[in-house]
Amino acid sequence: MNPHVTILLQSLIGGIGMGSIYALVALGYSMVYRSMGLVNFAHGNIFMVGAYIGTVFYVSMHTNFVLAFALALLLTAGLGMIVQKILRPLEKMDLIYMMLGTLGIGIVLQNLSIIIWGPDGIAVPFPINNTPWMVKGISIAPYTLVIVGVAALIVIALQLFLNRTKIGLAMRASAQERDMSLALGMNVGLMNGLTLAIGSALAACAGMLVGPVFYVSPDMSTSVGINGFAAAILGGFGSMPGAIVGGLVFGILEQLVATQVSAWSEVIAFVIFVVVLIFKPSGIVGERVVDKL
Amino acid sequence: GSSSTSSTSGSSVASGSSQDIKIGEIGAMSGNLASLGTWDSQGLQMAVDEVNAKGGIHGRKVVIEKLDDQGNPSVAVNDANKLVNDKVVAAFATPESTTTLAILNILKQAKIPHITSGQDPEITKKGSLFVFRDTANSLIFDKTLADYVVGKMGMKKIAVISNSGAYGKGEHDAFVSALKAHGISPVSDQVVTPDAKDFSAQLTTIKEAHPQVLFIGTEEIEMGLIAKQARALGITARIVGGQPAATPIYVNTAGKAVAEGTIFATTYISNDANAETKAFAAAYKKKFGQVADSHVAKAYDGAKMLLEAIDKAYPNIDGTHIRDELLKLNYHGLTGDFKFNDQGEGMFTAQIGTYKNGQPEPLQ
Amino acid sequence: MLAIQDLQVYYGKVHAVKGVSLTVQEGEVVSLLGSNGAGKSSILKTICGLTKAVGGSISFRGKPITNTKPYRLVKEGIGYVPEGRKIYPLLTVKENLLTGAYHRNDRAGISADLEQVYEYFPILQTKRDVLAGNLSGGQQQMLAVGRALLTRPNFLILDEPSMGLAPSVVAQIFAIIKTLRDQGMTILLVEQNAYHALTLANRAYVLETGKIALEGNAEDLKKNHQVREIYLGM
Amino acid sequence: MELLQIKQVSREFGGLKAIQDVSFPVRQGSIHGVIGPNGSGKTTLFNVISGYYKPTQGEVWFENKPIHALSPFQVNRAGLARTFQNLRLFKKMTVLENVCAVLDRESGIRIWDYVVAPKRVFRIEKETIRKAEALLEVFDLLEWRDFLAENLPYGVQKRLEIARALATHPKLLLLDEPAAGLNHTETDELARIIRYIRDERGITVLVIEHDMKLMMTICETITVMNEGMVLTEGTPNQVSKNKQVITAYLGGEW
Amino acid sequence: MTSQDMTNRDLAGQELQPEQAPSTPLEGFAPVSEGSASRSAAKRTWRNSRWWISMAVALFLILPIALNNYQVHILDLVVLYMILAIGLDLTMGYCGQMNLAHAAFYAVGAYTSAILTTRFHFTFWEALPISIVFSTACGILIGLPSLKVRSHYLAIATLGLAIAINDMLVNLNGLTGGPTGITGIPKPHVFGVALDSEYLYYYLVLTFTVLLFLLAKIITTHSIGRSFRAVREDHIASQALGINIAKQQILAFALSGMYAGVAGVLYAHMLSYVSPDTFQMNEMFFMLTIVVIGGMGNIYGSIAGAVILIVAREWLNQFQNWQQVVYGALIVALVVFLPGGLVSIKTLFQHRKRSQLYRVK
Ligand SMILES: Nc1ncnc2c1ncn2[C@@H]1O[C@H](COP(=O)(O)OP(=O)(O)OP(=O)(O)O)[C@@H](O)[C@H]1O
Ligand SMILES: Nc1ncnc2c1ncn2[C@@H]1O[C@H](COP(=O)(O)OP(=O)(O)OP(=O)(O)O)[C@@H](O)[C@H]1O
Ligand SMILES: [Mg+2]
Ligand SMILES: [Mg+2]
């Protein structure tokens, strides 16, 4: 095959791999935003903590992967509940306060992790045989499919949950008119706790899944946290399909640019990202927005 | 009172009596570069505790004033000013090139000799008489590596991948210039960002160039990830790298199978190299519960040298005297033999090693 | 059914409600009049638990509900149409209506009530999949009323339900309230359209700067010359 | 003379025709009313006139110049001011500041004046405050001068919004449901304000309102809209007797 | 129309409750002072604030006498960060624009001056205006997305562009020295005196801080500041009232670029060293913290925030590994318990006093 085509296809596949990770992270951001109006800047750090918790069970305590996975989701969901309790007074305030509050929580989580688990990180073996398939000189890692599959499943589940269940409806409602929701009998506090629990579990899920691809360490959160956020925005903040689309587009964009000008990939990816935003101010799929005055 | 003797990791507070000899330490203990600072800190702690256990320097205890720079040059400068103010006699600052460059002038003006383990060759060329490097610089590592790979093994088609961080760029420049000395230029030269996790775009480009050797110029974890993904993409080239490739973290990240056969240039091949390293590794394990590696060994060496120089300078423990003693030192350490020139470079050789059956061992 | 004793409400330092006492009997329509800023909405919000009562007490069917968590009150049977509509702009019209039925589990009853609301306000049916934020002002007001109906309360609190509605719809809203009253629902009504309100109500209170200035039979108040001049414009 | 001409304006929202082929003129110096059932497109029409929505078809002319392509602030500068159906005050600013923020535009102060001519800045600031106070005085808002807008009673907020719109020195004022939420006395007062604006200040007023009594007393012409189209137009008397208007809008009672 | 014409609504209260004294529309809420009285009160507060500002400046002028070299260095940073925080507050607090690129403007100022003075042998005073032009231009450029996107969309857009700028500093090796940055940036000379001690340099920074503070003070209390706040409060209404919000937003970003640029130049020559590591996201969030913890939309807040947070950061050093944890927790606690920022302590205090102005029955 023409080497250019090979390079293109291979980086496309790499982009889908990274993109699905961004998508998973983006889902968490969007879910929390849509159901409690919170832009959670600690999401990246919760992602890291989730990955650590799971990894500690899986690698250090030799539990099986699925059990470790479940435990990570559960414990991280608990962490989400605690975070919500702490930040409760900020619920009604401007974006910027929530942003700073969650940033503060992120700093605490980040550095507590360094203290608890050390700065070095843990390498995680793949839970399945990840020997890549070679198709015409292009290698496809089976584990990528797992991630893509899980992301797809989650998006469907979340979509159903938010759009078809009463709790989901109430969550979305509470994010918009808090007082009215209370008057209609919704326990908004509890709902927000649940939201952050689910959001955190999503982060843990992403963290746990990417552990083998990355390497679990305290600094795994930074770039994924930002790029995941960018992905969520790119797709349309708060939209579940948007998170997937945004994640994939951002991942592929990054890789494609990297084949051309490798050191400049981030610069160009972000510039393109901003240009897209200027033309589609509420993302590709689009956040649900009202433009009536 | 000082608690440095009993402390295990990082809780020694410099507030001892005027009898104590105070040395400073600056490094990232938090943030993304926390591991660098922690390694440095623990190596230093080992050496200081040993000296104190033997009664200190001429009966005076050594205490460490430990400051976190978060990997931020700005904060490092604050820390350096604080150390100057607190009248430390010498310092361990810092494990990283950019922060070292940031504080170079302050410590120079205050005449405080300090040990760095940043590998940027530029550090010692900025005219400070007070900076000392406790390891070789990138040029030495990469020249040794290139000499082996090209000169000894006769490889010609070499691909380079490095990151755009300070360390990665140093490695890249040093290795490429070493290749040039052999009349070779890389068949492919790729740069990634320090926090990238997927390298398929760059590695596929490399693969299409069909190299015999793949040089990876990044820190441990990224190196491991790149190696792992290179193999997954079907790149069979021999993987080579600098100091980071000699650490257990690299092996863990890449996996034993991938790491097998990696050739590296380092000052510290393994804990099992000789009786001294074995003893050190055992003591380290006992103290910190972790496996020692080249980072802590070099910090330990640096600390030993600093303490020895202070000891020799005694009772004139001021910056100039300590510096003069450091310059006179002939030190045989875990990572090799040191003899500082007046720029502060003390280590001019590196060793070549590889992994055989998962174990690091020397080549040559 | 509802009894308020000496209610005190503050917003920071602003004393909005200054010792108001009022009662609503079972099956009665009580209207609350008063100029802007008199504290009408504050009283209603306090009943619903959305604003804190600093002093005084509120009891509903003999049960004290002062400062109860608002989300518990729906189950007691209190429905609320807030001032300023407070619809959910990013939910569709139908979703908005369904939020009203959040505390209910009777599927059949809910869909019947939904049909009923659609019958009252056909426009809501045609727009059921439109984001509520894109509705016109009056349509949003209909939605707010419809949503409260879906809570199927036995005590309905209405804060200016006719605001921004076309005259024919205003008439219709009052017709609906009348129907509800005839069905035995108890209603507390705040309305600027005093004529309509007094026609509908059994009793009424007139509020001035946080205090009750007048109270009495709706018919009597209608004849009171101050009320006529200020609220009815006659 | 016709100050504003709406020429076959249509506006769609994803297939929904909110207004269709609407045309009518607004005479200089008149108080012109727009009524119509909920959702008949009155607010949309205002949004088109004031530049927030671009018409999908048709044109809007103001003083014989097209304005439908201008952005909202340019429309305002051309001489049109508006209020909103849901109040839009600068909530965290005082009453005085709400008005000053609008008056600032005409002060001609540029950022560099702060450095090169601070004296001028201070002088003009004083002038601005004086003008603002004069305006507040007229609207009987002076006693609220230093209150944050969000803390004002609703009626006062409404008055402030009108005062603020007037601070832009418009030739045409668009009012969207100014009487909503006001009681009878307050509505009377509003009627006086609207008349004052037209009579004393010579500003043409285009007003949307559901309070028919108010409309009957203040308007010279009323345009009735229904389902996005103009149903009829005429004097209040003509309109209120129109059969179609009664069935579509007023209901049996009128 | 006179005011009598329009206060009819008061009659309601009087006629229904004849026993009551004539009341203002809302008794609980009526200001005692008349318009003219409150105007003179405003004048008084301005004189007051002039007095306080002079005192504060005097304090900052004599402060170094009592401090050692290290403390002066920290003080240097404190006044430097005041410039940064005020600049950020102008866009974020006053104009309401999510600006996460302030650190990038800071970097552009610092690097421009560093490059001009080390590679092209400009003097500090020649490099300064050019650097400011560059950073301001950068502010305008990065502010452009604000014309289309808002809120968190704008936050990530500016953050992304800031990351891009930082990457460029790393990648443009030849010019910027790449990841290890530029060393040996010369100290400025003033009247032939080299400002090569922390003490002397401090007065240079302080001069700029005072000037830029005064500029910010006039901006925020006069027309431009009001337009900024109008845009922040309601951009839709602002447009309807003839305010060109695009112009205001870009102006706010330009000011952010200018302030950060000045700070960047001062920073580069203070440390004689710049590297991309300094201007990363952490730095951005640190500035953001200063502004919010100090009190958004209040330049005194930026001043207070800079003092408190920089001193706190130094003080926290004693907690070693825990310092960042404590720092994070501190931020959370402050945001949660003092959302108005440090300046709101004062208003909490004042609220008591002011409440006497309102007759509460
Ligand atoms: N959230 C609030 N914060 C501060 N003051 C408030 C708040 N809500 C209401 N107020 C004040 O409390 C007083 C009573 O307000 P309320 O809304 O209860 O009056 P209302 O009778 O419903 O008037 P309207 O006819 O305008 O709806 C007013 O002075 C108002 O300014
Ligand atoms: N941005 C928008 N997106 C979708 N539909 C819209 C939008 N704006 C208005 N509409 C629709 O257009 C129609 C006209 O709305 P508009 O607000 O103009 O009505 P109105 O005449 O002002 O009614 P009201 O008297 O209730 O305020 C409504 O059916 C509304 O749902
Ligand atoms: Mg009310
Ligand atoms: Mg309308």
Side-chain angles (χ1 to χ4, degrees), chain D residues 54-196:
Chain D
K54 298 287 157 253
T56 34
Q57 253 161 44
E59 297 182 345
V60 182
W61 287 59
F62 182 70
E63 290 190 310
N64 299 317
K65 283 187 286 285
I67 55 163
H68 51 272
L70 303 181
S71 58
F73 81 92
Q74 290 168 324
V75 172
N76 176 275
R77 289 179 185 192
L80 266 103
R82 70 169 290 183
T83 62
F84 292 87
Q85 187 165 358
N86 308 312
L87 287 174
R88 283 183 174 274
L89 290 171
F90 305 135
K91 291 190 184 140
K92 292 262 179 317
M93 293 166 71
T94 65
V95 170
L96 183 74
E97 286 170 336
N98 262 276
V99 176
C100 285
V102 175
L103 289 171
D104 284 332
R105 182 165 59 81
E106 65 189 42
S107 67
I109 293 284
R110 295 280 172 276
I111 178 86
W112 46 85
D113 292 331
Y114 287 64
V115 181
V116 298
K119 280 259 158 61
R120 198 169 97 88
V121 174
F122 291 135
R123 180 170 51 77
I124 291 192
E125 173 76 5
K126 275 196 198 117
E127 274 170 32
T128 307
I129 291 181
R130 207 169 306 125
K131 281 190 218 161
E133 283 175 343
L135 189 67
L136 291 181
E137 176 98 59
V138 169
F139 281 86
D140 195 27
L141 284 164
L142 211 47
E143 56 183 317
W144 302 103
R145 181 183 184 275
D146 295 319
F147 283 75
L148 292 189
E150 63 175 357
N151 287 339
L152 303 177
Y154 187 73
V156 180
Q157 293 194 12
K158 289 217 137 179
R159 225 176 326 144
L160 175 57
E161 212 186 29
I162 297 175
R164 194 182 61 172
L166 286 189
T168 63
H169 303 301
K171 298 177 186 120
L172 175 65
L173 180 64
L174 310 178
L175 300 172
D176 197 350
E177 301 201 18
L182 301 185
N183 70 19
H184 175 78
T185 321
E186 290 157 341
T187 306
D188 274 358
E189 190 184 300
L190 176 75
R192 267 201 306 281
I193 293 178
I194 294 176
R195 284 220 195 81
Y196 161 84

Side-chain angles (χ1 to χ4, degrees), chain D residues 39-55:
Chain D
S40 56
K42 305 179 294 296
T43 302
T44 306
L45 180 65
F46 266 31
N47 288 340
V48 170
I49 297 172
S50 55
Y52 284 96
Y53 295 156
K54 298 287 157 253

Side-chain angles (χ1 to χ4, degrees), chain A residues 252-262 264-265 268-269 272:
Chain A
I252 291 171
L253 179 67
E254 215 180 30
Q255 289 293 327
L256 288 187
V257 176
T259 56
Q260 302 307 315
V261 274
S262 68
W264 293 81
S265 67
I268 295 173
I272 295 179

Side-chain angles (χ1 to χ4, degrees), chain B residues 10 12 30 66 68 70 72-74 77-79 81-82 85 96 98 101-102 120 126 164-166 169, chain E residues 68 70 73-74 77 170-171 173 179-180 183 198 267 271 273 275 277-278 283 313-314 317 320-321 323-324:
Chain B
S12 64
S30 58
K66 192 184 284 190
D68 177 9
Q70 301 161 30
N72 181 340
S74 223
V77 169
N78 300 354
D79 292 346
N81 276 302
K82 185 154 202 289
N85 195 58
E96 217 209 320
T98 44
L101 285 167
D120 189 341
K126 298 286 179 190
S164 55
K169 178 166 176 288
Chain E
N68 63 38
Y70 159 66
H73 175 73
I74 298 306
L77 283 184
V170 173
N171 287 329
N173 278 320
T180 43
T183 55
E198 294 280 357
Y267 173 85
L271 262 61
Y273 175 66
S275 87
D277 284 354
T278 309
E283 187 69 15
R313 186 168 72 174
E314 288 306 304
N317 235 325
Q320 307 217 347
N321 300 22
Q323 70 148 315
Q324 285 289 299

